[in-house]
Amino acid sequence: PERRPARRASLPRAKEDARVPRQEHRTRIDPTAAMAGPAVRYTLRRFPAAQVAILELCNPPVNALSKEIREALLQGVQRADADPDVRGVIVKGAGAGFSGGADISEFASGRALEAPVLPDVCDALEDCSKPVVAAIHGNAMGGGLEVAMGCHARVAAEGATLSLPEVKLGILPGAGGTQRLPRLVGVKHAISVMTSGRPLGPAEAHDMGLVDEVVPAGGELEERLLEAAASRIEGALDGSLALRRSSELTCPESENTVTNTVAEAKRILNPTGNMGGKESALAICDAVAAAATQPYAEGLRVEQRLIRELAVSPTSLALRHLFFAERGVLKIPELAPGTPGGAAAADGATLTRNVGVIGAGDAPQAVPQPQA
């Protein structure tokens, strides 16, 4: 079916006391000011029944959510919300994908914690008084998927992938992802997706309830994806489609089912009970339990406390070091194109295919090298 009527909330706001008080976490940027550079391209487009603001993330190669992107995205949605001629908002990515998530290089510099932080941006998208739809193609990973979950609906192109892989870095989704995903797909699916970090295809994501519509592959895919997003906006405006503020949904399971599901997941994830390397997966279970049993505001506080603890854990520090080290070895200057013995160059330089490594024995060993 095209949409799932169960557990949908209409677009009008729920009671404010069920949400984090605005002054505690909202960052305001003057929506009348000029856009903060080219980080997010802001364009207006007239569709058959409405004029829509399109916010396009522009940070190649993967549209990482750097501070500049966060500032411009927040400013863009506030600008659209304040414009009486704009009836809805579409968020999309430029280039090959929606967004690869947080700029992990900002973790070490501290820029990831500079305002506006990503949870504030996701809340601003959800708080918009006009329908906001994410148009997903390529990858929507980590914080990128959290941005999409902050929107009121999601349409995805066939071939897209959606994932929350933070567990592979020893942390958890920290922009409301552990709170929104269980409300959208249920506790069991949410734990499975986040503790494995595995990518979802659009069809599976649609069956779970994470994606509202899948746009088939074919010609003019980008245009058809925008039209599908605009159709969702138009449906919300005429009342034929209900859009969801995911933080205002409730998980479908009973409290007893939640307790049993979380306990079983922890048993499977950590059968020996020694925690070794499983801290982030177990913390995800605790955050999901909070999403299922507490208001969004309280659950978000649990999520933020857990990610602060995980970010300084030995496991996470080691996994992040490994993440950068694996990418660093592929950037050896001596193997760059144009250098003697480096990758194939226009002047016919020799392509390095193998490296000899002398170990503890008498004979060297040939190790294949990745090709540029």
Side-chain angles (χ1 to χ4, degrees), residues 18-43:
R19 300 180 48 79
V20 181
R22 180 174 297 275
Q23 66 271 19
E24 289 189 15
H25 78 301
R26 302 292 196 261
T27 299
R28 301 296 294 177
I29 292 179
D30 181 4
T32 63
M35 293 297 287
V40 173
R41 187 178 296 117
Y42 184 103
T43 57

Side-chain angles (χ1 to χ4, degrees), residues 175 202 272 290 300:
T272 63
L300 190 63

Side-chain angles (χ1 to χ4, degrees), residues 141-278:
M141 297 177 60
L145 182 53
E146 290 181 285
V147 165
M149 287 193 289
C151 298
H152 304 135
R154 288 148 294 282
V155 297
E158 189 175 338
T161 57
L162 300 86
S163 64
L164 293 169
E166 287 86 351
V167 69
K168 298 177 181 180
L169 295 177
I171 54 177
L172 51 69
T178 66
Q179 302 305 295
R180 289 190 170 97
L181 187 62
R183 288 171 161 85
L184 287 167
V185 306
V187 168
K188 186 175 182 179
H189 284 315
I191 289 176
S192 172
V193 169
M194 289 188 284
T195 59
S196 68
R198 68 182 181 88
L200 301 175
E204 184 179 7
H206 179 267
D207 290 344
M208 286 184 183
L210 177 57
V211 165
D212 297 277
E213 182 179 345
V214 178
V215 179
E220 300 184 338
L221 180 58
E222 181 178 359
E223 179 63 19
R224 289 188 291 112
L225 185 64
L226 287 175
E227 290 174 352
S231 178
R232 289 270 155 189
I233 291 172
E234 293 165 0
L237 294 174
D238 66 22
S240 62
L241 285 176
L243 300 183
R244 299 172 290 178
R245 280 192 168 94
S246 53
S247 72
E248 295 174 353
L249 300 173
T250 56
C251 295
E253 298 92 344
S254 68
E255 186 170 344
N256 185 57
T257 300
V258 170
T259 300
N260 292 337
T261 300
V262 170
E264 177 66 8
K266 285 186 170 184
R267 185 191 66 78
I268 293 172
L269 289 165
N270 190 33
T272 63
N274 63 8
M275 290 281 290
K278 299 294 186 179

Side-chain angles (χ1 to χ4, degrees), residues 42-55 80 83 85-91 130-133 226-227 229-234 237:
Y42 184 103
T43 57
L44 297 178
R45 176 168 169 181
R46 170 69 63 178
F47 288 92
Q51 178 161 274
V52 171
I54 300 176
L55 307 182
D83 186 341
D85 293 328
V86 171
R87 305 296 306 280
V89 179
I90 296 174
V91 181
K130 300 166 183 179
V132 182
V133 180
L226 287 175
E227 290 174 352
S231 178
R232 289 270 155 189
I233 291 172
E234 293 165 0
L237 294 174

Side-chain angles (χ1 to χ4, degrees), residues 57 61-63 92-100 136-140:
L57 311 180
V62 297
N63 296 324
K92 68 182 295 288
F98 185 78
S99 172
I136 301 170
H137 75 291
N139 288 330

Side-chain angles (χ1 to χ4, degrees), residues 38-131:
V40 173
R41 187 178 296 117
Y42 184 103
T43 57
L44 297 178
R45 176 168 169 181
R46 170 69 63 178
F47 288 92
Q51 178 161 274
V52 171
I54 300 176
L55 307 182
E56 185 175 29
L57 311 180
C58 303
N59 187 16
V62 297
N63 296 324
L65 299 168
S66 63
K67 179 183 178 182
E68 290 75 19
I69 284 278
R70 299 193 305 270
E71 286 177 340
L73 183 55
L74 176 61
Q75 189 170 342
V77 71
Q78 292 177 347
R79 175 179 171 182
D81 206 10
D83 186 341
D85 293 328
V86 171
R87 305 296 306 280
V89 179
I90 296 174
V91 181
K92 68 182 295 288
F98 185 78
S99 172
D103 185 342
I104 194 172
S105 67
E106 291 190 345
F107 283 26
S109 67
R111 281 171 60 86
L113 300 178
E114 293 180 9
V117 291
L118 192 56
D120 287 356
V121 177
C122 295
D123 284 336
L125 291 165
E126 188 174 76
D127 285 346
C128 185
S129 64
K130 300 166 183 179

